[in-house]
């Protein structure tokens, strides 16, 4: 009996001793993770893989975890967009405290990598490197990158403009270093478009929101594109030349002063040679841009941006032959031309800003900017056409048309903006006020004469009428006052993380005496049950404040259409509801992210419009209401190790009510699929391939100069494939940093995509829609040298 008690006592003491030894072998690791600017980094993964322990930093960047002691314990700190850090502890005991500094990837590589942190607002950060070295038709790499995102559509490879979730081209806000920029107003075709104001060689960050964006972005209904130019940290230079143009970029810096210069030249003559309309194309587009930054000390900073652009499009058409219809019923349309077109677009843009940093967390900035555009569009083109049935050789129609235009426009916008930011542990507060003056002066005269089978259209027994005529002589002088305040509040409950952005925007326009108030809010939740998930909600009231084109109202008297300005025009309004989810995961030991966004936009006070090519013509009155609803899906990741690829799929339905009739919006793209795929040749990283595929639903259309209620047709789907191959001839040389030699095949499968239609009337008064096709298959070679 005594032995039994002794045995139990010995076992109990052994268990207590074992537990004491085990507790003595454990240690507690606490610490904080910050970036190079001493900002706390939340949601950093802290892991000890040997012991199977993982935790994440909280909103203050702090963490705590208990580990078993050993001769050496390795702890890893990782976060997307930052270089992973490792710390090894030798025989740790008791309580260990560390502070870890995470360095962005760009600090370790000599290429700029846009940070891809977890998306906790409605703005997604895109990587500028995904836009470079790929096949390009416009030379506007940033816009081409935007056109490949979910919810974004384009049906013209020669244009840098894009539609977002059913909106028009004019509903997209674009900012460069906190200053809103503008586009020319008279551009009507992709052939006329030159280089956009964004120079991809100078870009550091790209933020893009397709809806539900913050209050700091202006009064647009569809999207916000936020560009930040790069302040060079050392000497850098790039030279690129191709069959479609050339560009050069130079950047220098020291501790206090930095500047970069970019010059670009583009000519799409080679590309336009693949169009069905032959002739003498002489397009020339040139721009120069500079960014200068001076930081005398850590409290003051002065930044300057200058931009000048000269875009000229000269064209003498010769002839055209188009076959269209079905395999059983083929029609032939032939035209012989006389005349020419001469267009010129001159743009000047400049910004100056002074930043005062009172502390590391409190700043104010004063910005001034000026935009000037002088535009001229002139043409006199006459064509004689024949419409034939190729199978029966029957001549269906013959006629003559003449198009004339003398359009001149000058626009000036001057703005002053005062903004301030203040950061605390959990709040990022930002506010700003802007004063703008706008002056637009237009003098325009257009007409089209059409003679079909010996009769002028429209036919009248008493007089000669033109099928279309427009006269406009208007001037606008107005000013706007805009103000906003917003806060980004980060908090957590247990292991669930929240990011709440809320704010309000106010604006007043002197032209129509209208004041608009735009509250906006978004919430992101990282749930405790899975930190790889993020749920996002966003809502707000968004306005489309009218600019010059929206207020042009037309009145027809005695067969002459006159454009007048509507002083009672109101801002279009969109109430948006967005629900989204992001899921980060690994597949084949490579990072991926899947995003799904559902949205609904209730639209009021709509100003209906027609689209011909890229020209948007508004009715000049608030006549409609409507909606846009859809679903956007995106899979992003390393389909191939070390490269970025993505696949997007979008579904959308839009409607507007006009005169009691529900009709689709002109941008009603019901479905779209886009693929951006990059790969390296097996066994080498010197050969790189980029493939871009697009398949998008065709847009509604109807006969010209008729109402939107008559747009009962739909164009064929837009289908395009571009592929580019690049060879890295020099890598990390003594003088040359990199040298890429590439060849692109544009429109790989030679698909005839329809851009618009020309309507012809035959001898029996039937109308035929003759398609205007876009560019065919072309080969482009290019060389890029980085110093």
């Amino acid at each position: 009996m005594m032995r039994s008690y002794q045995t139990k006592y010995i076992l109990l003491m052994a268990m207590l001793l074992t537990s004491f030894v085990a507790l003595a072998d454990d240690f507690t690791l606490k610490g904080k993770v910050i970036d190079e600017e001493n900002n706390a980094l939340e949601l950093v993964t802290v892991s000890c893989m040997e012991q199977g322990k993982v935790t994440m930093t909280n909103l203050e960047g702090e963490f705590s975890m208990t580990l078993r002691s050993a001769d050496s314990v390795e702890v890893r700190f990782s976060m997307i967009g930052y270089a992973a850090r490792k710390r090894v502890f030798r025989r740790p005991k008791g309580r260990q405290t560390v502070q870890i500094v995470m360095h962005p990837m760009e600090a370790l590589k000599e290429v700029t990598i846009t940070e891809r942190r977890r998306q906790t607002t409605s703005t997604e950060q895109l990587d500028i490197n995904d836009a470079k070295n790929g096949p390009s038709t416009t030379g506007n790499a940033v816009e081409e990158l935007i056109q490949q995102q979910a919810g974004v559509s384009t049906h013209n490879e020669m244009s840098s403009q894009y539609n977002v979730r059913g909106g028009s081209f004019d509903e997209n806000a674009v900012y460069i270093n906190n200053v809103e920029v503008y586009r020319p107003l008279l551009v009507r075709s992709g052939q006329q478009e030159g280089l956009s104001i964004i120079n991809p060689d100078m870009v550091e960050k790209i933020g893009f929101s397709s809806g539900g964006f913050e209050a700091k972005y202006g009064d647009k209904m569809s999207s916000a594109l936020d560009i930040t130019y790069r302040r060079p940290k050392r000497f850098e230079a790039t030279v690129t030349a191709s069959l479609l143009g050339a560009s050069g970029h130079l950047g220098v810096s020291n501790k206090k002063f930095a500047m970069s210069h970019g010059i670009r030249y583009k000519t799409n003559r080679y590309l336009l040679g693949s169009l069905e309309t032959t002739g003498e194309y002489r397009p020339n587009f040139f721009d120069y841009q500079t960014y200068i930054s001076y930081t005398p000390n850590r409290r003051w900073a002065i930044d300057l941006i200058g931009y000048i652009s000269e875009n000229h499009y000269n064209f003498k058409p010769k002839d055209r032959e188009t076959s269209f219809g079905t395999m059983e019923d083929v029609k032939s349309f032939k035209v012989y031309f006389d005349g020419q077109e001469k267009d010129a677009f001159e743009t000047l843009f400049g910004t100056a800003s002074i930043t005062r940093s009172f502390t590391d967390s409190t700043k104010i900035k004063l910005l001034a900017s000026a935009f000037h555009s002088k535009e001229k569009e002139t043409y006199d083109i006459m064509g004689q056409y024949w419409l034939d049935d190729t199978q029966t050789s029957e001549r269906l129609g013959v006629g003559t048309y003449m198009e004339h235009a003398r359009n001149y426009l000058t626009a000036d916008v001057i703005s002053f903006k005062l903004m301030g930011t203040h950061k605390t542990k959990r709040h990022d507060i930002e506010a700003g006020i802007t004063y703008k003056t706008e002056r637009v002066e237009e003098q325009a005269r257009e007409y089209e004469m059409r003679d079909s089978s010996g009769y002028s259209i429209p036919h009248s027994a008493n007089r000669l009428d033109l099928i279309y005529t427009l006269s406009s002589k208007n001037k606008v002088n107005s000013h706007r006052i805009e103000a906003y305040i917003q806060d980004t509040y980060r908090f957590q409950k247990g292991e669930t993380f929240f990011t709440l952005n809320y704010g309000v925007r106010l604006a007043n326009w002197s032209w129509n005496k209208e004041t608009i108030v735009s509250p906006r809010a978004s919430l992101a939740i990282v749930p405790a049950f899975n930190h790889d998930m993020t749920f996002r909600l966003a809502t707000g009231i968004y306005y489309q404040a009218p600019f010059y084109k929206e207020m042009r109202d037309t009145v027809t008297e005695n067969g002459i259409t006159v454009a007048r300005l509507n002083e009672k025009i109101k801002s279009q309004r969109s109430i948006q509801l967005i629900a989204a989810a992001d899921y980060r995961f690994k597949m084949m030991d490579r990072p991926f992210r899947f995003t799904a966004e559902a949205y609904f936009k209730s639209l009021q006070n709509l100003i209906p419009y027609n689209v011909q090519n890229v020209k948007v013509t508004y009715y000049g009155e608030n006549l409609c209401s409507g909606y846009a609803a859809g679903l956007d899906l995106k899979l992003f990741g390393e389909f191939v190790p070390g490269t970025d690829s993505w696949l997007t799929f979008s579904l959308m339905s839009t409607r507007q009510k006009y005169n009691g009739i529900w009709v689709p919006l002109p941008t009603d793209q019901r479905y779209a699929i886009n693929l951006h795929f990059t790969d390296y040749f097996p066994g080498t990283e010197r050969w790189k391939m980029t493939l871009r595929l697009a398949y998008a639903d065709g847009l509604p259309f109807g006969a010209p100069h008729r109402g939107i209620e008559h747009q009962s047709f739909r164009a064929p789907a837009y289908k395009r494939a571009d592929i580019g191959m690049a060879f890295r001839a020099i890598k990390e040389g003594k003088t040359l940093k990199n040298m890429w030699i590439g060849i692109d095949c544009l429109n790989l499968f030679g698909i005839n995509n329809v851009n618009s239609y020309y309507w012809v009337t035959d001898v029996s008064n039937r109308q035929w829609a003759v398609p205007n096709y876009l560019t065919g298959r072309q080969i482009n070679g290019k060389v890029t040298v980085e110093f």
Side-chain angles (χ1 to χ4, degrees):
M1 188 74 176
M2 182 66 67
R3 289 182 180 179
S4 175
Y5 282 117
Q6 289 177 343
T7 303
K8 291 181 179 180
Y9 178 76
I10 293 172
L11 290 174
L12 178 62
M13 293 299 295
M15 291 172 63
L16 291 174
L17 182 61
T18 302
S19 300
F20 177 78
V21 171
L23 288 173
D25 287 343
D26 287 347
F27 74 99
T28 300
L29 179 63
K30 292 186 175 182
K32 184 175 183 179
V33 182
I34 60 175
D35 62 13
E36 293 177 326
E37 299 178 353
N38 293 321
N39 297 315
L41 293 178
E42 74 275 11
L43 301 179
V44 176
T45 301
V46 184
S47 60
C48 179
M49 302 310 295
E50 294 177 350
Q51 301 184 25
K53 295 290 186 70
V54 179
T55 188
M56 302 187 80
T57 60
N58 60 19
L59 295 177
E60 283 75 38
E62 299 171 347
F63 70 94
S64 176
M65 62 192 311
T66 300
L67 300 170
R68 295 192 308 273
S69 182
D71 289 340
S72 65
V73 178
E74 182 180 282
V75 179
R76 188 174 187 269
F77 304 83
S78 61
M79 184 177 184
I80 293 179
Y82 289 85
R85 295 289 308 275
K86 291 182 181 179
R87 288 291 298 271
V88 178
F89 300 90
R90 303 294 182 184
R91 297 179 181 177
K93 295 180 180 179
R95 180 174 177 176
Q96 301 284 330
T97 303
V98 295
Q99 179 170 286
I100 303 298
V101 180
M102 302 283 284
H103 300 280
M105 297 283 274
E106 59 261 33
L108 303 180
K109 299 182 180 180
E110 295 193 3
V111 297
T112 301
I113 297 179
T114 302
E115 185 179 308
R116 291 191 299 273
R117 294 177 61 180
R118 183 190 302 267
Q119 183 180 343
T120 55
T121 67
S122 297
T123 302
E124 180 184 5
Q125 296 298 318
L126 304 178
D127 192 341
I128 182 60
N129 288 309
D130 293 332
K132 295 181 177 180
N133 292 328
S136 173
T137 55
T138 66
N140 301 314
V142 174
E143 285 85 350
E144 290 182 336
L145 177 64
I146 298 300
Q147 291 171 352
Q148 300 172 70
Q149 303 306 309
V152 184
S153 64
T154 180
H155 289 76
N156 190 337
E157 65 271 8
M158 292 185 290
S159 173
S160 62
Q161 303 193 57
Y162 50 87
N163 308 110
V164 179
R165 292 179 175 174
S168 72
F169 301 136
D170 302 317
E171 296 179 19
N172 305 310
V174 180
Y175 287 80
I176 297 179
N177 287 19
N178 297 305
V179 176
E180 188 173 6
V181 298
Y182 300 84
R183 289 179 176 271
L185 301 176
L186 290 183
V187 172
R188 60 182 173 83
S189 69
Q191 293 95 308
Q192 294 173 307
E193 276 194 36
L195 295 157
S196 79
I197 193 172
I198 303 172
N199 189 326
D201 291 329
M202 302 172 68
V203 171
E204 179 181 30
K205 295 180 182 179
I206 304 174
F208 178 70
S209 174
S210 55
F213 40 88
E214 301 103 301
K216 66 179 180 179
Y217 298 118
D219 297 308
K220 301 289 186 180
M221 289 202 304
S222 290
S223 74
L225 176 60
D226 192 353
I227 301 296
T228 302
Y229 274 176
R230 181 177 64 256
R231 187 184 191 276
K233 296 181 180 180
R234 60 184 69 85
F235 173 82
E236 57 183 42
T238 305
V239 176
T240 300
S242 75
L243 297 176
L244 300 178
S247 66
H249 166 251
L250 173 67
V252 294
S253 70
N254 56 34
K255 291 183 178 180
K256 296 183 177 181
F257 181 81
M259 66 176 179
S260 61
H261 304 273
I263 186 170
R264 295 182 295 173
Y265 171 75
K266 170 187 170 182
T267 175
N268 53 8
R269 178 189 301 184
Y270 173 67
L271 193 64
L272 297 177
S274 65
L275 297 176
E276 290 187 327
T277 300
T278 64
E280 183 180 347
Y281 291 94
R282 289 185 295 149
N284 293 288
F285 310 116
F286 166 85
D287 77 358
Y288 165 76
Q289 197 160 169
T290 183
Y291 172 43
I292 301 173
S293 179
Y294 175 57
T295 310
N297 53 57
R298 61 194 300 262
R299 296 301 182 197
W300 290 94
I302 300 173
D303 295 290
L304 303 171
I305 294 178
Y307 172 81
I308 181 172
S309 172
E310 287 275 351
N311 296 330
H312 295 270
Y313 177 75
N314 299 321
F315 174 44
K316 289 184 179 181
K318 182 180 178 182
D319 56 46
R320 164 187 174 175
E321 183 171 357
T322 303
S323 297
F324 64 100
T326 64
M327 294 293 292
E328 294 78 18
D329 185 17
V330 181
K331 302 294 186 294
S332 175
F333 180 66
K334 296 181 181 180
V335 187
Y336 294 95
F337 296 101
D338 188 19
Q340 63 179 339
E341 176 177 355
K342 288 187 176 182
D343 306 326
F345 302 90
E346 301 174 3
T347 304
L348 300 174
F349 175 72
T351 71
S353 68
I354 301 177
T355 305
R356 165 65 173 170
S357 300
F358 295 99
T359 66
D360 291 339
S361 58
T362 304
K363 300 178 182 179
I364 64 168
K365 179 179 289 188
L366 177 64
L367 302 99
S369 67
F371 167 82
H372 171 77
S373 180
K374 185 177 181 181
E375 306 174 29
K376 180 184 72 172
E377 182 186 44
T378 63
Y379 55 82
D380 287 285
I381 296 177
M382 183 174 68
Q384 294 181 323
Y385 66 84
W386 288 263
L387 178 65
D388 299 326
D389 188 318
T390 59
Q391 294 179 329
T392 63
S393 299
E394 179 185 359
R395 180 143 295 171
L396 301 176
V398 60
T400 303
Y401 70 88
M402 179 175 182
E403 296 176 342
H404 165 91
R406 293 292 184 272
N407 299 330
Y408 305 92
L409 185 141
T410 302
D412 294 283
V413 180
I414 299 175
S415 69
F416 299 93
K417 182 177 183 180
L418 178 65
M419 58 182 296
T421 59
H422 177 69
K423 295 183 178 181
T424 64
K425 284 186 177 181
R426 297 192 175 187
H427 292 269
D428 290 349
I429 303 171
E430 182 176 331
I433 184 169
T434 304
Y435 175 79
K436 294 180 182 179
T437 64
E438 301 169 348
R439 186 185 68 85
V440 181
E441 185 173 354
E442 180 197 28
Q443 185 170 346
R445 176 70 175 174
E446 300 179 12
Y447 66 78
E448 180 181 353
M449 184 275 293
R450 192 174 299 180
D451 185 332
S452 180
S453 301
Y455 291 94
S456 179
I457 300 176
H459 177 66
S460 174
N462 301 322
R463 63 183 185 186
L464 179 63
D465 289 331
L466 300 175
I467 192 172
Y468 167 70
T469 179
L470 175 66
S471 176
S472 175
K473 188 175 183 180
N474 296 300
K475 181 185 294 186
V476 175
N477 286 290
S478 63
H479 65 263
R480 301 179 196 260
I481 298 177
E482 304 171 352
Y484 72 91
I485 183 170
Q486 68 173 46
D487 176 32
T488 302
Y489 174 40
R490 297 180 176 88
F491 60 99
Q492 68 182 98
K493 290 186 177 181
E495 291 299 315
T496 300
F497 297 85
F498 299 87
T499 301
L500 174 64
N501 178 276
Y502 57 97
V504 63
R505 185 177 187 89
L506 297 92
N508 176 269
W509 190 28
S510 65
W511 176 261
N512 60 0
K513 310 295 190 298
E514 181 186 34
T515 299
I516 55 179
V517 180
S518 175
R520 308 172 186 180
S522 66
L523 175 67
I525 304 172
V526 180
F529 63 82
N530 190 339
H531 283 165
D532 289 323
M533 294 286 298
T534 305
F535 298 102
R536 291 182 284 111
L537 300 171
T539 186
I541 301 176
Y542 295 81
Y543 289 90
Q544 178 74 21
F547 199 59
Y548 182 74
K549 289 195 297 185
E550 291 95 322
M551 68 176 78
R552 291 172 81 245
D553 190 10
T554 55
V555 179
T556 302
E557 298 176 354
N558 298 323
I560 299 177
T561 303
V562 178
R564 298 172 181 172
L565 302 183
N566 183 3
E567 295 186 5
K568 296 182 180 180
I569 197 77
K570 294 181 180 180
S571 297
Q572 302 176 87
R573 184 174 64 198
S574 169
I575 301 175
Q576 301 187 11
L577 299 172
I578 299 171
D582 300 330
Y583 177 54
R584 303 191 305 175
F585 62 97
K586 282 197 172 183
M587 185 168 58
M588 298 174 289
D589 201 30
R590 298 195 291 271
F592 286 84
R593 183 181 74 248
F594 178 74
T595 301
E597 287 197 19
Y599 61 90
F600 177 82
K601 299 194 288 188
S602 175
L603 309 173
Q604 294 91 33
N605 294 330
L606 290 182
I607 306 172
Y609 61 90
N610 289 308
V611 180
Q612 182 73 4
N613 205 315
V614 299
K615 182 181 180 180
V616 181
T617 303
Y618 291 90
Y619 280 45
E621 295 182 82
N622 302 96
L623 300 174
C624 297
S625 60
Y627 70 88
L631 176 67
D632 294 331
L633 306 176
K634 180 178 181 180
L635 177 63
F636 177 93
E638 294 186 9
F639 292 20
V640 174
T643 67
D644 290 341
S645 301
W646 62 88
L647 174 67
T648 68
F649 176 68
S650 299
L651 294 172
M652 183 179 68
S653 174
T654 68
R655 289 292 184 273
Q656 61 181 341
K657 192 174 185 180
Y658 178 73
N659 288 336
I661 302 174
W662 285 96
V663 296
L665 288 169
T667 54
D668 182 51
Q669 179 180 275
R670 296 171 297 185
Y671 59 86
I673 302 173
N674 282 282
L675 172 67
H676 179 103
F677 178 74
T678 54
D679 193 5
Y680 290 104
F681 274 51
T684 178
E685 292 187 356
R686 286 185 175 270
W687 282 97
K688 185 178 182 180
M689 182 275 294
T690 303
L691 175 66
R692 294 176 180 172
L693 300 178
Y695 187 92
D697 184 28
L699 301 180
F701 74 96
H705 316 307
R706 301 187 68 185
I708 56 175
E709 68 274 21
H710 299 291
Q711 294 192 351
S712 55
F713 304 100
R714 189 173 286 270
Y718 181 83
K719 304 177 285 289
R720 187 172 177 90
D722 298 324
I723 189 170
M725 310 289 292
F727 173 66
R728 198 174 190 177
I730 298 177
K731 180 179 179 182
E732 308 297 340
K734 293 183 178 180
T735 304
L736 301 181
K737 178 182 173 182
N738 288 302
M739 181 177 179
W740 291 91
I741 302 174
I743 184 170
D744 301 336
C745 183
L746 308 174
N747 195 357
L748 177 64
F749 301 115
I751 299 172
N752 289 327
N753 287 305
V754 177
N755 178 35
S756 58
Y757 289 87
Y758 185 79
W759 290 77
V760 177
T761 304
D762 65 13
V763 293
S764 59
N765 206 31
R766 289 183 302 176
Q767 285 191 312
W768 299 86
V770 182
N772 297 317
Y773 293 118
L774 287 164
T775 58
R777 184 189 296 112
Q778 291 288 90
I779 301 296
N780 180 37
K782 61 183 178 181
V783 177
T784 300
V785 180
E786 300 175 5
F787 298 89

